[in-house]
């Protein structure tokens, strides 16, 4: 009975997160387009499947991954062994990201659109490995008290530098891959590790030192995926196309068999987290799990939830994004597209559970300097502005290189100017804005626009909106902190 009550609560929570999207879509369909898409019933069913999948997934996390992951983080922080902490940081980052639903969705879209040249599994393993290494580096930074702003400035200078040499087909995808690594699975685990570690070390501040791991996890995949793109697009095109055709032919199979294979794939996705937990629990700490049957049941729910989520994406969220793009373009007025982009960005971000959680943690850690609700509003405005600018870039046909380089150059300058207590939090907030619901919809919107606007390449222009949604919350939060700091100094000077 308890599990059913918890599932009902998680299902209602998932529906609540979907509600802003439904409201915005219905507003545009009824008030502006004055029509409903032909497959509206299947889309509605797909949204319900997404809600069920997210509910099962969250319930599984609460029963298994979250309590065990937080317990391990606390035990290793108390243990104080630097090599073990670094290894645990790597394993936690890798295993959490490999099972990230939003990354699975984006990687699948990339493989399909690139006709097999970009391999979904390779992309996910590359991103997960990158996050693992950078989480280990972030743990190292917390232990030795290095300022976060130097890591971020140097890191984004490298990001911008690599962008100059990366093929245009990979740039948008690379930045989107960075934006979707920190989400429903990773944020709570990584944030708990950083804050717990900073709280347990004398002389460390949870606000200044505890935050920042999420930001690092966003940054490094941008570098590794662009390097992957440089390598992939140097391969002979004919060879890649032949491999793509072969893979498509092999993929055709009976629906029931395909469904079972997809379910086994979900088990494979979650397996790294299970291996990480068992290894560190039994081999390193040499302690048994507190309730193995409960944890096993939780993992089963995670696998089933992931499967339902991916199925719901295919029949619900992806068609909504494509349909809205096609219908809005038919109005012959780009103003409506910009309005839709702004509204969907703002509405979904205000309902983002990871953002609410981080805002509350920041308010507690800042001891009155920061208000959680103000942070949410600033981040939602930043996401809305970012997605709108990204849509403008797509419609105008401008090179994503210049927009991205300009955006992160601005971020680097603001990092040098803003109060140091806000830097780690601001970068983290840029990484928690894109939810498991927002990412597929915004990705589908970008792909739909690129498909229906003449002269646009889907792979080059279709990706990148998530990247803009990650950049501009950093800008709005830092600008707010600079303004507040300036006002405080002005008031002190006046008095």
């Amino acid at each position: 009975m308890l599990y059913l009550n918890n599932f009902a609560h998680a299902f209602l929570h998932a529906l609540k997160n979907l509600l802003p999207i439904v409201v915005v879509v219905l507003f545009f369909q009824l008030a502006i387009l004055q029509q409903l898409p032909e497959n509206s019933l299947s889309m509605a069913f797909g949204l319900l499947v997404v809600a069920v999948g997210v509910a099962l997934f969250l319930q599984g996390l609460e029963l298994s991954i979250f309590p065990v992951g937080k317990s391990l983080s606390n035990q290793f922080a108390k243990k104080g062994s630097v090599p073990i902490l670094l290894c645990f940081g790597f394993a936690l980052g890798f295993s959490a990201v490999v099972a990230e639903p939003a990354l699975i969705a984006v990687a699948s879209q990339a493989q399909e659109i690139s006709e097999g040249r970009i391999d979904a599994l390779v992309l996910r393993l590359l991103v997960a490995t990158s996050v693992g290494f950078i989480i280990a580096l972030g743990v190292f930074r917390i232990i030795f008290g290095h300022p976060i702003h130097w890591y971020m400035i140097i890191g984004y200078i490298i990001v911008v530098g690599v962008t100059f040499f990366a093929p245009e087909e990979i740039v948008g995808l690379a930045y989107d891959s960075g934006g979707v690594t920190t989400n429903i699975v990773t944020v709570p685990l990584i944030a708990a590790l950083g804050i717990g570690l900073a709280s347990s070390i004398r002389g460390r501040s949870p606000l200044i030192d505890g935050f920042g791991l999420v930001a690092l996890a966003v940054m490094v995949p941008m570098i590794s995926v662009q390097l992957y793109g440089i390598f992939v697009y140097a391969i002979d095109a004919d060879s890649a196309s032949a491999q793509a055709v072969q893979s498509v032919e092999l993929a055709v199979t009976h629906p029931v068999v395909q469904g079972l294979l997809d379910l086994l794939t979900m088990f494979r996705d979650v397996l790294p987290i299970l291996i990480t937990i068992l290894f560190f629990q039994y081999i390193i700490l040499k302690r048994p799990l507190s309730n193995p049957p409960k944890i096993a049941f939780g993992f089963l729910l995670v696998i089933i939830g992931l499967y339902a989520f991916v199925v719901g994406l295919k029949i619900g969220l992806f068609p909504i994004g494509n349909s809205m793009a096609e219908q809005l373009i038919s109005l012959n007025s780009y103003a409506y597209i910009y309005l839709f982009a702004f509204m969907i960005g703002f509405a979904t971000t205000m309902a983002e559970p990871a953002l609410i959680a981080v805002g509350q943690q920041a308010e507690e850690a800042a001891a009155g300097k920061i208000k959680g609700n103000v942070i949410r509003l600033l981040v939602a405005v930043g996401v809305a502005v970012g997605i709108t600018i990204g849509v403008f870039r797509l419609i105008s046909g401008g090179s994503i290189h210049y927009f991205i380089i300009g955006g992160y150059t601005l971020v680097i300058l603001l990092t040098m100017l803003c109060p140091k207590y806000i830097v780690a939090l601001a970068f983290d907030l840029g990484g928690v804005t894109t939810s498991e619901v927002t990412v597929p919809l915004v990705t589908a919107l970008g792909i739909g626009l690129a498909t229906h606007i003449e002269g646009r390449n889907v792979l080059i222009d279709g990706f990148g909106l998530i990247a803009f949604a990650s950049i501009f919350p950093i800008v709005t939060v830092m600008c707010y902190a600079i303004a507040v700091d300036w006002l405080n100094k002005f008031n002190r000077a006046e008095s």
Side-chain angles (χ1 to χ4, degrees), residues 412-426:
I412 290 169
L413 291 174
L414 290 173
T415 303
M416 296 176 179
L417 296 173
C418 75
K420 296 300 173 272
Y421 74 85
I422 203 71
V423 172
L425 175 61

Side-chain angles (χ1 to χ4, degrees), residues 30-47:
L30 299 177
I32 295 174
L33 297 168
Q34 297 182 355
Q35 61 176 331
L36 289 174
E38 294 178 0
N39 56 344
S40 55
L41 286 178
S42 65
M43 290 182 187
F45 177 71
L47 288 177

Side-chain angles (χ1 to χ4, degrees), residues 237-427:
D238 293 335
S239 174
S241 297
Q243 291 175 359
V245 170
Q246 184 180 10
S247 65
V248 169
E249 288 175 353
L250 289 174
V252 177
T253 184
H254 193 277
V256 175
V257 176
Q258 188 61 50
L260 291 173
L261 289 174
D262 290 342
L263 200 57
L264 287 174
T265 300
M266 298 305 154
F267 176 75
R268 181 197 67 191
D269 296 335
V270 177
L271 190 60
I273 300 179
L274 181 61
I275 292 172
T276 298
I277 287 172
L278 293 177
F279 175 79
F280 280 93
Q281 187 73 43
Y282 285 95
I283 305 300
I284 305 299
L285 290 174
K286 298 179 180 178
R287 295 179 183 177
L289 291 170
S290 58
N291 193 337
K294 178 182 174 182
I295 293 170
F297 180 65
F299 269 99
L300 179 63
L301 291 182
V302 166
I303 293 166
I304 297 172
L306 268 176
Y307 177 71
F309 174 78
V310 172
V311 170
L313 288 184
K314 292 177 181 178
I315 60 178
L317 283 175
F318 284 146
I320 286 177
N322 284 314
S323 174
M324 288 302 301
E326 184 177 359
Q327 291 179 83
L328 289 171
I329 287 172
S330 68
L331 294 175
N332 295 319
S333 175
Y334 291 139
Y336 290 118
I337 300 177
Y338 296 138
L339 180 61
F340 178 76
F342 187 91
M343 288 179 65
I344 206 73
F346 185 87
T348 54
T349 303
M350 285 299 289
E352 170 54 44
L355 176 60
I356 296 170
V358 171
Q360 289 172 347
Q361 288 179 322
E363 188 170 336
E364 293 170 7
K369 283 185 178 180
I370 295 170
K371 298 295 182 184
N373 288 333
V374 174
I375 288 294
R376 284 177 62 203
L377 187 61
L378 288 167
V379 171
V381 170
V383 172
V385 170
I387 293 177
T388 306
I389 292 174
V391 168
F392 169 76
R393 194 276 312 172
L394 200 161
I395 290 173
S396 64
S399 172
I400 193 171
H401 287 73
Y402 299 117
F403 280 82
I404 293 290
I405 290 170
Y408 277 112
T409 300
L410 176 61
V411 166
I412 290 169
L413 291 174
L414 290 173
T415 303
M416 296 176 179
L417 296 173
C418 75
K420 296 300 173 272
Y421 74 85
I422 203 71
V423 172
L425 175 61
F427 277 102

Side-chain angles (χ1 to χ4, degrees), residues 68-249:
V68 176
K70 289 176 182 178
S71 172
L72 283 170
S73 297
N74 292 333
Q75 289 177 73
F76 282 125
K78 291 176 182 176
K79 203 174 182 69
S81 170
V82 174
I84 290 178
L85 276 169
L86 295 182
C87 290
F88 181 64
F90 173 84
L92 190 68
F94 177 90
S95 59
V97 170
V98 132
E100 173 52 53
L103 179 61
I104 293 171
V106 170
S108 299
Q109 285 281 329
Q111 177 170 303
E112 182 179 339
I113 292 168
S114 68
E115 297 180 339
R117 179 173 290 192
I118 296 170
D119 185 271
L121 180 60
V122 171
L123 183 66
R124 287 170 51 209
L125 290 175
L126 180 65
V127 171
T129 302
S130 303
V131 172
F133 275 117
I134 202 60
I135 294 300
L137 182 62
V139 168
F140 179 85
R141 179 197 73 82
I142 295 172
I143 293 171
F144 291 97
H146 297 160
I148 185 68
H149 59 277
W150 291 118
Y151 282 74
M152 302 312 299
I153 290 171
I154 293 170
Y156 277 110
I157 288 173
I158 295 172
V159 169
V160 170
V162 173
T163 302
F164 276 108
F165 302 99
E168 57 184 355
E169 291 89 350
I170 203 70
V171 173
L173 175 63
Y175 282 96
D176 278 4
S177 298
V180 301
T181 54
T182 48
N183 210 296
I184 193 171
V185 180
T186 47
V187 168
L189 287 175
I190 293 174
L193 175 62
I195 294 170
L197 192 57
S199 301
S200 66
I201 299 175
R202 183 177 296 178
R204 301 289 174 268
S205 162
L207 180 61
I208 297 173
D209 301 300
F211 290 96
L213 290 180
V214 174
L216 292 171
V218 171
M219 178 180 65
V220 173
M222 299 176 183
I223 300 171
S224 58
V225 173
Q226 287 186 93
L227 293 174
Y228 170 63
I230 293 171
F231 169 76
V232 165
Y233 282 91
I235 298 174
D236 180 68
D238 293 335
S239 174
S241 297
Q243 291 175 359
V245 170
Q246 184 180 10
S247 65
V248 169
E249 288 175 353

Side-chain angles (χ1 to χ4, degrees), residues 109 113 446-452 456-463:
Q109 285 281 329
I113 292 168
I447 292 169
L449 289 173
T451 302
H452 295 101
R456 300 293 174 267
N457 181 296
V458 177
L459 188 59
I460 296 172
D461 300 302
F463 292 97

Side-chain angles (χ1 to χ4, degrees), residues 46-75:
L47 288 177
L48 282 177
V49 174
V50 167
V52 170
V54 170
L56 289 171
F57 186 72
L58 286 173
Q59 182 72 8
L61 291 179
E62 292 293 340
L63 291 173
S64 58
I65 295 173
F66 283 172
V68 176
K70 289 176 182 178
S71 172
L72 283 170
S73 297
N74 292 333
Q75 289 177 73

